[in-house]
Amino acid sequence: MLQDKEVITLAVVDDHPMILEGVQRVFQPEQGVTVAGTFTNGNDFLGFLQQQQVQVALLDITLPDMSGVELCRKVKQLCPDTCVLAFTNHQERAVVMQMLQNGAGGYLLKNMGPEEFLQCVREAIQGQITFSAEVKQIMARPTPQDLKSIPPLTRREKQVLQLVAEGKTNPQMAEELSVSILTVETHRKNLMQKLEVKNAAALVKAALECRLL
Amino acid sequence: MLQDKEVITLAVVDDHPMILEGVQRVFQPEQGVTVAGTFTNGNDFLGFLQQQQVQVALLDITLPDMSGVELCRKVKQLCPDTCVLAFTNHQERAVVMQMLQNGAGGYLLKNMGPEEFLQCVREAIQGQITFSAEVKQIMARPTPQDLKSIPPLTRREKQVLQLVAEGKTNPQMAEELSVSILTVETHRKNLMQKLEVKNAAALVKAALECRLL
DNA sequence: CCAAAACTACCATGAATATGGTAGAAAAAA
DNA sequence: TTTTTTCTACCATATTCATGGTAGTTTTGG
């Protein structure tokens, strides 16, 4: 869709100025890439996009005003032709999946070298889904953890879970939530069932692992 | 101890090549700073130091072969005159303290801008303890969490803690550790006492917060 | 070698938890 | 407006846990 000979225009969004500097140093016109803009937050970049398009957008996941995933979706809405690449430290398979679901054209980890970086961007321009070497590994072997999705909890269940983690007993929770002890017991039971554990200690551990707390 | 007019020699250790590029772009001879070397791991840098000294060393905390704290100590042993600055994303007060205890001359967060960065390095050269703006904040208002130190656990206690978090019951643990149930109960009791909690759920949460699991 | 930790074990008792159900009312989704 | 969740409540029972102790035996560090 794009000619190889054209100069590629690229933008970077990252809350670490030093990364922005680094990207500008790596992508020089000699390599056929121009850095059209660098931004430390998502909204600045979205503003920029309304005036000027870029062919490649490099997005960090952790940004001050919104997540990179969210930003990715908004960018693709605004400019469907822009190739969005994650450029981040997050190694979680789930995050990679989220980016892809929101239209990202690839996922790069910051610990890769400049050569690989250039190579990936060139691949991405040609319309290929692009992963840096380590990401390929991550995608290739999903852990059992990755495969079991986090069960949806009801509002009450989340409250009870929170209180359980704080060490509250059933009578205390019943008091605090103004319900009967028996009700609290039911929620607790359902929580343990959903997270497939057999007692409160394991429940708290599982919940923390799923970032439910 | 060092003249202002001299060109400052600086080295960077960071596992993200892009950060190394960025630092090289920011510190130009025009600013009176030469980047004498960049490294992606601690050992490479230590090797380099035996041949050539630098006035400032920027160290990330997360490195492939050793922690930045450890590296800091080794650098100061080898070259006491080198000013070691942390240059990292870690915002934990405890990490800052550890770096200082190991001889660091300052602590900088990667989210600061190039100007502040230059300013800090210049300050550091003059022998001042240097913090980037955000770090000053962090040091100024320690949370209650920061103040209570993690209680030392015995070997057995750690084992029991681990098993409790896995959801094991006292009889199961007794079995697994080949001790009496009564003994397990005692360890559990001591654990809860040390972490100042009143039941297993809160114990697991506290342990995870203190990174004991 | 001696002292201090750490590990082990014991016990009694009351409180809390886990587990199997059932089931009506309320709220949210279709 | 149905239908489906969610929230609520109840019950019995077996386990498990928490808490207060005491105290002998190993390790470990000085």
Side-chain angles (χ1 to χ4, degrees):
Chain A
M1 63 163 90
L2 294 161
Q3 286 96 329
D4 292 295
K5 287 294 158 60
E6 268 182 20
V7 172
I8 299 166
T9 55
L10 176 149
V12 204
V13 189
D14 197 300
D15 59 333
H16 301 307
M18 218 44 53
I19 290 286
L20 299 180
E21 297 283 339
V23 170
Q24 286 178 68
R25 194 164 191 265
V26 169
F27 293 103
Q28 299 282 321
E30 300 94 88
Q31 270 94 32
V33 185
T34 317
V35 178
T38 66
F39 309 89
T40 54
N41 67 70
N43 280 316
D44 285 1
F45 179 47
L46 289 173
F48 169 86
L49 271 186
Q50 305 192 315
Q51 315 210 298
Q52 186 179 341
Q53 298 236 352
V54 291
Q55 286 164 25
V56 180
L58 297 172
L59 309 185
D60 193 2
I61 299 296
T62 309
L63 294 171
D65 52 352
M66 66 184 82
S67 89
V69 178
E70 204 181 330
L71 181 56
C72 175
R73 183 162 30 79
K74 290 184 177 168
V75 169
K76 290 302 280 190
Q77 273 172 2
L78 211 56
C79 313
D81 290 341
T82 295
C83 173
V84 175
L85 297 179
F87 179 53
T88 178
N89 280 321
H90 286 265
Q91 312 214 348
E92 300 90 350
R93 201 169 187 283
V95 178
V96 181
M97 294 304 294
Q98 273 186 67
M99 282 301 285
L100 295 180
Q101 266 176 344
N102 283 281
Y107 199 103
L108 312 179
L109 281 178
K110 280 184 185 168
N111 61 8
M112 81 192 147
E115 322 72 36
E116 193 183 352
F117 198 2
L118 274 164
Q119 180 58 35
C120 286
V121 169
R122 291 208 188 92
E123 267 180 48
I125 284 283
Q126 288 164 6
Q128 301 177 40
I129 291 281
T130 312
F131 297 132
S132 65
E134 256 189 83
V135 180
K136 283 180 193 160
Q137 293 285 316
I138 292 167
M139 297 307 284
R141 42 161 175 64
T143 66
Q145 245 269 8
D146 291 327
L147 296 177
K148 85 164 72 132
S149 57
I150 33 173
L153 302 187
T154 68
R155 200 175 333 123
R156 260 314 198 224
E157 282 166 354
K158 281 178 198 164
Q159 287 173 13
V160 171
L161 176 56
Q162 181 64 46
L163 295 174
V164 168
E166 286 171 14
K168 300 277 169 66
T169 66
N170 285 348
Q172 286 174 326
M173 290 190 266
E175 164 85 289
E176 195 155 331
L177 300 177
S178 309
V179 297
S180 120
I181 297 181
L182 300 155
T183 305
V184 176
E185 276 174 356
T186 302
H187 288 313
R188 206 189 242 264
K189 181 171 27 174
N190 294 337
L191 279 168
M192 291 193 289
Q193 223 160 60
K194 285 189 181 179
L195 296 192
E196 295 169 28
V197 295
K198 304 191 74 49
N199 61 39
L203 177 64
V204 170
K205 192 185 149 216
L208 282 166
E209 275 170 0
C210 295
R211 292 160 198 76
L212 292 173
L213 273 177
Chain B
M1 61 161 91
L2 294 162
Q3 285 96 330
D4 291 296
K5 289 294 158 62
E6 268 181 21
V7 172
I8 299 166
T9 55
L10 176 149
V12 204
V13 189
D14 197 299
D15 59 334
H16 301 305
M18 218 44 53
I19 290 287
L20 299 179
E21 297 283 340
V23 170
Q24 287 177 67
R25 194 163 190 266
V26 169
F27 294 102
Q28 298 284 322
E30 301 93 89
Q31 271 93 32
V33 185
T34 317
V35 178
T38 66
F39 309 89
T40 55
N41 67 70
N43 281 317
D44 284 0
F45 179 47
L46 289 173
F48 168 86
L49 271 185
Q50 304 191 317
Q51 315 209 297
Q52 185 179 343
Q53 298 236 352
V54 291
Q55 287 163 25
V56 180
L58 297 172
L59 309 185
D60 193 2
I61 300 295
T62 308
L63 295 171
D65 52 352
M66 65 183 83
S67 89
V69 178
E70 202 181 331
L71 181 56
C72 174
R73 183 163 31 79
K74 289 183 177 167
V75 169
K76 291 301 282 189
Q77 273 172 2
L78 210 57
C79 313
D81 289 340
T82 295
C83 173
V84 175
L85 297 179
F87 179 53
T88 178
N89 279 322
H90 286 265
Q91 313 214 349
E92 300 90 351
R93 201 170 187 283
V95 178
V96 181
M97 294 305 293
Q98 272 185 68
M99 282 300 285
L100 295 180
Q101 267 175 343
N102 283 281
Y107 199 103
L108 312 179
L109 281 178
K110 280 183 185 169
N111 60 7
M112 81 192 145
E115 323 72 37
E116 193 183 352
F117 197 1
L118 274 163
Q119 180 58 34
C120 285
V121 169
R122 292 209 186 91
E123 268 180 47
I125 284 283
Q126 288 163 7
Q128 301 176 40
I129 291 281
T130 311
F131 296 131
S132 65
E134 256 189 83
V135 180
K136 283 179 193 160
Q137 293 285 316
I138 292 168
M139 297 306 284
R141 41 159 176 65
T143 67
Q145 245 267 13
D146 291 327
L147 296 177
K148 84 165 72 132
S149 56
I150 27 175
L153 302 187
T154 68
R155 200 175 334 122
R156 262 313 197 220
E157 282 166 354
K158 281 179 198 163
Q159 286 173 11
V160 171
L161 175 56
Q162 180 65 45
L163 295 174
V164 167
E166 287 170 13
K168 300 278 169 66
T169 66
N170 286 349
Q172 286 174 327
M173 290 190 267
E175 164 84 292
E176 196 156 331
L177 299 177
S178 308
V179 297
S180 117
I181 296 180
L182 301 155
T183 304
V184 176
E185 276 174 356
T186 302
H187 288 313
R188 204 191 245 264
K189 180 169 34 174
N190 293 336
L191 278 168
M192 290 194 288
Q193 224 160 59
K194 285 189 180 178
L195 295 192
E196 295 169 27
V197 295
K198 303 191 76 51
N199 61 39
L203 177 65
V204 170
K205 191 185 146 217
L208 283 166
E209 274 170 2
C210 295
R211 308 171 233 318
L212 292 171
L213 270 177

